[in-house]
Amino acid sequence: MGHNAHKLEREAQALLAPFGLVAFGWFTTAEGKPALLLGNVGSSLWPAFSKSPFFEDEMPDPMNRWTESVVGEAASKLGAQARYPFGETVWPFQRWAKAATRMQQSPIGLLIHPKFGLWCAFRAVLVFDEAFAVPAPKEAAHPCNDCADKPCLKTCPVEAFAVGAYDVAACRTHISSSDGEICKTGGCRARLSCPVGRDNAYLEAQQAFHMAAFL
């Protein structure tokens, strides 16, 4: 790893660790700028977020606003620009995540980490104007290649993933009904069925929070 990248990553980790955010890896943007991908593993961010004013103020998009506050301050201290997977500008976070981590898509569409499974999320990117070399991500085997049963495709009670594409309408209708209470409060059954990184599954309170936001 180049000296600048190594130093900046250490500084970013130190600033963001109290909030449960981690650096996943480096990549280079289309403009040729070094960028560091940030996010959470499992419910690592939940203690800090759920105790923040954003969680309690009953305003829209509490997690997005909390992320902007936390990452924005870190970006300012590091001399970087923060980009987010929300807001008016649509940034290619899926492509960036693949470039920074070599992660690949699971059968249900989510990127899957070889260690953390489906339980990591990408919250922001720090983009630096200074030119320096960034380290290449480590190669990792795609965990889904060794999964013969593919329980993620068979567990959804309304078969929202059964035809090779996510049936958003069927999923939302089910979660909104009395039959979907388990999914609404406990999280996506398909996602929870994946054996990779299962110990990193979100806490039930976080599962319910994301499901409420989805609805």
Side-chain angles (χ1 to χ4, degrees):
M1 180 183 290
H3 175 71
N4 285 339
H6 183 65
K7 182 174 181 290
L8 286 168
E9 185 170 338
R10 284 203 318 268
E11 292 174 352
Q13 292 277 21
L15 290 169
L16 296 168
F19 303 99
L21 296 176
V22 300
F24 280 99
W26 291 91
F27 65 99
T28 302
T29 68
E31 312 100 296
K33 295 182 178 182
L36 185 61
L37 179 68
L38 308 175
N40 59 279
V41 174
S43 289
S44 60
L45 60 64
W46 189 252
F49 167 64
S50 62
K51 294 174 184 175
S52 73
F54 300 97
F55 185 72
E56 301 287 351
D57 65 11
E58 299 183 356
M59 299 289 288
D61 304 315
M63 186 170 284
N64 291 352
R65 291 184 292 112
W66 174 83
T67 300
E68 285 182 306
S69 174
V70 170
V71 176
E73 183 174 349
S76 178
K77 291 179 179 178
L78 294 168
Q81 175 194 356
R83 296 179 182 177
Y84 306 98
F86 50 81
E88 292 184 5
T89 303
V90 180
W91 299 107
F93 263 75
Q94 287 274 311
R95 187 165 74 241
W96 286 350
K98 290 178 180 179
T101 67
R102 293 286 192 267
M103 290 168 62
Q104 299 180 56
Q105 282 186 307
S106 67
I108 61 173
L110 296 172
L111 293 183
I112 184 166
H113 191 279
K115 180 179 179 181
F116 308 126
L118 301 174
W119 303 106
C120 55
F122 308 115
R123 302 291 173 190
V125 159
L126 297 178
V127 180
F128 298 87
D129 286 326
E130 178 189 358
F132 53 85
V134 299
K138 295 179 180 179
E139 294 292 342
H142 188 9
C144 299
N145 289 343
D146 296 325
C147 181
D149 292 338
K150 301 288 188 293
C152 60
L153 295 177
K154 306 171 185 176
T155 311
C156 175
V158 291
E159 300 182 336
F161 303 101
V163 295
Y166 177 34
D167 190 338
V168 180
C171 177
R172 183 174 281 119
T173 298
H174 175 70
I175 296 170
S176 301
S177 71
S178 57
D179 291 337
E181 188 65 23
I182 293 177
C183 300
K184 183 178 180 180
T185 59
C188 172
R189 302 294 97 186
R191 193 176 185 181
L192 285 163
S193 72
C194 177
V196 182
R198 187 174 283 159
D199 291 344
N200 298 291
Y202 293 160
L203 297 171
E204 190 167 287
Q206 187 175 351
Q207 301 271 22
F209 170 83
H210 288 303
M211 283 299 188
F214 171 64
L215 292 176

